[in-house]
Amino acid sequence: LECWTQLTWIAARFPTPLLGTIVMANDYRHPPYLAKMAASLQVFSHGRFVLGYGAGWQEEEYRAYGFDYAAPKVRIEKMVEGIEVIKALWTQRPATYAGRHYQVTDAFCEPQPDPPIPIMIGGDGERFLLRAVAQHADWWNSVTRRPGVLRHKLAVLRDHCQAVGRDFEDIRKTITMTIYLAESKAAAERLAGDALQRNHPPFAGEPAALIDHLHEHVEMGFDLFQFAFPAFPETHDMRLFVDKVMPAFR
């Protein structure tokens, strides 16, 4: 509930930005209950909410809080059913759904969200997750990958869309990036430290390089970026971003 309390406060305090989650693990909240929470937040925000949703991936967190950590295919199946339940509650009065993992009978969600809430699925597993994106998502949220890998993931998503009869262009492509930004590449890399050794390293560099990096992703089809600035609550990197990077995209 802490996340939802913060989102409600932000919705009231800041009346124009989009609000969303990146991303809610399906197993952590009962989907019918989440449907009602999201619908209420859509009202509080006057139609600015985006439900970021996923199958869950952080095994240590599952184990720590006593959730069953099923195989990836099962977690994705549950996520898909969760989305189907949520959409049923958002569109039917009353809603009835009978699945393998979730069931509702003559359930109500009032008020139903107006306008409809976009569902953004996060993740890029090629066999099952991206097929779920093709079938059920309004938006797709990718994690940071090297450009060649991202192009491959997009091609896989396009193939899934073709297989299920979905227009690939109907799905909005978004990406979450961790940014280490400084006046020089060397300074940014010092800030990033060991993070640069990860399989999916963050961006670390100066503003001009970040502008080029973002333009490359725009050319791939991404048009919404969610940035994480690990230096927070220090704001020198965010100020540099506002002053030197944002003007290139206005």
Side-chain angles (χ1 to χ4, degrees), residues 2 15 193:
E2 177 72 16

Side-chain angles (χ1 to χ4, degrees), residues 66-126:
F67 290 98
D68 292 333
Y69 189 70
K73 181 180 179 181
V74 175
R75 281 182 280 119
I76 293 169
E77 286 176 353
K78 293 178 71 177
M79 178 197 72
V80 167
E81 281 200 13
I83 291 171
E84 291 174 343
V85 168
I86 289 168
K87 288 183 175 180
L89 279 159
W90 287 350
T91 59
Q92 300 174 22
R93 288 188 176 98
T96 295
Y97 179 89
R100 178 182 177 187
H101 303 284
Y102 303 110
Q103 300 83 36
V104 295
T105 304
D106 294 335
F108 286 87
C109 174
E110 297 292 348
Q112 291 182 326
D114 182 22
I117 299 171
I119 292 181
M120 178 180 73
I121 295 180
D124 62 6
E126 295 180 12

